[in-house]
């Protein structure tokens, strides 16, 4: 049995009650670790709440820079979108939290880490698989899977032990947030037919038609976003800055039914204007800078990367191998992408954000090859032989077995490939 546990502490009702519950019911000492991932929060208040709940120690780790550099940047290189849509907001954060839980466990001489996830979600998988990968000797404790508390039970428990809950925001939703975006679940959203109410959103505001359009230039250096409108910004600041530019156009909302790792389909609302704008810009710059075969192969591997990270396999050999491949592709993903936001139309007022232009000094777009003007350098006469040989196999097939063979009734629509 564990004696000292480092708990992933959010400062909310559940993890505050957890501090007390593990101390009382399991007889362990609890060290609370809160990670600042750019979600915002009053860290002094969170610190004293953990101590008030009975933690023997509290650590607040500002991991924003590391999260941007080692996690978000990797996801950008991978154009990471789970099921083609979700930029892995929570999935990216769990492995970095676990890394810091493990480091704290070593510092404090703890023999276990703990989290407040339920048994129905992906986050428990991410916490535990990451922990197994980084520190197989540490026990992982997940009290919420066994304690059977309802929200009312938690409130009653908090009152009984004098844990201040008035400060914990009573939201009808379950929200997880970091600098890559917000996730919103539960409440009325559990009915997939119901349109998300306006109070679900915090980073986006629909702007009605009539407002001004706005443009922003994102600069990339070897696949890494490095500047906004020519001003150098570290990634952990660039994403929130981009949120503030494109969010007011109502861009960046997702409403999806998603396949969780544990076999449940769930209705998810995501709000991630900066993330989606950045991924769009990065993918666009790749279209100009990646050689065709590399681009196509990379596109085949990207969904797999997103799936691995979604499934909690951040620390795994396949994910590391894909990272190495993606990193190799990024050497020349350098240049600028110009995004344009335009106001939406009433009544929803959802605007749009799109790529208005791109440029790269090392791009593979060659104007003199592409142009139809007098500047054209393409050797038109070479095309004849190329196309004839490219089509030779089809021509042979047609004349011997297909629509062009002797006795064939007609070309089109004769069930090509079937032999009578
Ligand atoms: N469905 C998303 C995911 O699995 C969001 C999870 C949100 N987590 C939370 N504890 N509220 O990544």
């Amino acid at each position: 049995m564990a004696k000292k546990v480092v708990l992933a502490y959010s400062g909310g009702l559940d993890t505050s009650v957890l501090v007390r519950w593990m101390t009382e019911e399991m007889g362990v000492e609890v060290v609370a670790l809160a990670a600042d991932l750019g979600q915002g929060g009053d860290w002094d208040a969170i610190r004293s709440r953990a101590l008030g709940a009975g933690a023997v120690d509290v650590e607040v780790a500002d991991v924003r820079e590391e999260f941007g550099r080692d996690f978000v940047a990797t996801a950008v290189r991978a154009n990471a979108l789970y099921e083609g849509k979700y930029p892995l907001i929570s999935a990216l954060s769990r492995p970095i939290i676990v890394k810091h839980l493990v480091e704290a466990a070593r510092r404090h001489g703890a023999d276990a880490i703990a989290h407040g996830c339920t048994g129905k979600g992906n986050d428990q998988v991410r916490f535990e698989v990451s922990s197994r990968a980084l520190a197989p000797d540490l026990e992982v404790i997940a009290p919420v899977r066994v304690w059977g508390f309802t929200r009312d039970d938690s409130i009653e428990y908090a009152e009984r032990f004098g844990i201040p809950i008035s400060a914990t925001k009573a939201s009808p939703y379950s929200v997880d947030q970091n600098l890559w975006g917000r996730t919103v679940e539960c409440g009325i959203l559990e009915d997939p037919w119901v349109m998300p109410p306006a109070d679900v959103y915090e980073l986006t505001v629909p702007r009605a038609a009539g407002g001004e359009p706005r443009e922003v230039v994102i600069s990339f250096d070897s696949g890494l976003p490095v500047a906004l409108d020519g001003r150098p910004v570290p990634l952990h600041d660039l994403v929130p800055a981009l949120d503030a530019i494109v969010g007011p156009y109502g861009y960046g909302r997702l409403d999806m039914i998603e396949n969780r790792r544990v076999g449940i389909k769930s209705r998810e609302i995501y709000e991630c204007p900066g993330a989606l704008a950045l991924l769009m810009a990065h993918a666009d710059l790749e279209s100009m800078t990646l050689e065709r075969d590399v681009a196509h192969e990379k596109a085949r591997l990207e969904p797999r990367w997103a799936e691995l990270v979604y499934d909690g396999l951040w620390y795994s050999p396949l994910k590391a191998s894909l990272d190495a491949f993606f990193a190799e592709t990024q050497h020349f993903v350098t240049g600028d992408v110009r995004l344009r936001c335009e106001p939406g139309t009433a009544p929803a007022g959802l605007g749009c954000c799109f790529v208005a232009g791109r440029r790269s000094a090392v791009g593979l777009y060659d104007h003199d090859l592409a142009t139809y003007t007098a500047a054209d350098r393409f050797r038109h006469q070479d095309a004849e032989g190329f196309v004839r040989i490219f089509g030779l196999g089809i021509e042979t097939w047609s004349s011997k077995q297909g629509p062009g063979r002797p006795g064939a009734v007609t070309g089109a629509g004769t069930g090509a490939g079937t032999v009578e």
Side-chain angles (χ1 to χ4, degrees), residues 73 76-79 220-224 282 286 289-290 294 298 302 323-334:
V76 171
R77 284 194 288 272
N79 293 324
F220 292 85
D221 184 1
S222 297
L224 184 72
H282 176 263
E286 283 191 334
T289 53
L290 295 192
V294 170
K298 183 169 186 284
E302 286 167 357
D323 283 343
F325 173 80
F326 292 153
E328 177 63 28
T329 66
Q330 299 297 293
H331 295 307
F332 296 103
V333 184
T334 297

Side-chain angles (χ1 to χ4, degrees), residues 169 177 182 198-205 271:
K169 211 167 53 183
Q177 185 164 357
R182 288 178 78 237
D199 69 354
V200 159
Y201 301 108
E202 280 184 9
L203 303 174
T204 55
V205 197
E271 213 185 6

Side-chain angles (χ1 to χ4, degrees), residues 245-267:
I245 293 171
V246 305
Y249 290 84
Y251 177 81
R253 296 180 172 183
L254 296 172
D255 175 351
M256 67 187 281
I257 305 294
E258 165 183 306
N259 289 294
R260 288 190 185 165
R261 179 62 281 193
V262 293
I264 299 171
K265 281 193 192 289
S266 66
R267 200 274 186 93

Side-chain angles (χ1 to χ4, degrees), residues 86 90 94 122-123 126 174 176 183 185 258 268 270:
Y86 166 48
S90 305
R94 270 42 182 186
N122 298 308
D123 290 326
R126 297 165 185 154
S174 163
D176 185 40
T183 75
E185 301 166 318
E258 165 183 306
E268 306 279 336
Y270 299 117

